[in-house]
Amino acid sequence: FIYFSLLGSASSAPMRKFSCVTLSDKQRNVRNLVSYEKKQVPTDAIMFITAGGIKICVSAKQKWVQTAMKIIDERRAAK
């Protein structure tokens, strides 16, 4: 998995935005994933963030990805 940083300025402080350039095809253990972000540029992807802060880009079309997103959403709602 590889991602790169784009610097943009929404206010006076520069903001970092990460885009998914290449996608991992390896399934991840949902217990290690704490959140996710949807990415459309340059490809339709989901960026999962692990408990250790590692960002992993995967294809949004994979079935396990949809399941993992649902589990993360349920965890957030339970808090």
Side-chain angles (χ1 to χ4, degrees):
F1 57 91
I2 299 173
Y3 57 86
F4 66 95
S5 154
L6 298 171
L7 291 176
S9 189
S11 61
S12 58
M15 280 181 57
R16 281 187 134 177
K17 291 188 179 182
F18 293 97
S19 294
C20 293
V21 179
T22 59
L23 304 178
S24 171
D25 56 1
K26 184 178 166 191
Q27 185 168 339
R28 305 293 167 161
N29 187 330
V30 181
R31 283 181 287 181
N32 298 330
L33 305 174
V34 293
S35 65
Y36 67 89
E37 297 173 20
K38 293 180 181 178
K39 302 289 180 181
Q40 269 99 26
V41 179
T43 184
D44 210 15
I46 302 298
M47 180 187 288
F48 284 116
I49 296 106
T50 68
I54 297 168
K55 294 174 172 57
I56 302 160
C57 294
V58 295
S59 170
K61 295 178 178 79
Q62 296 181 73
K63 190 171 177 98
W64 76 266
V65 172
Q66 302 300 321
T67 303
M69 289 167 53
K70 197 167 147 185
I71 291 168
I72 291 168
D73 289 342
E74 288 169 358
R75 271 193 229 145
R76 284 183 188 154
K79 286 184 178 179

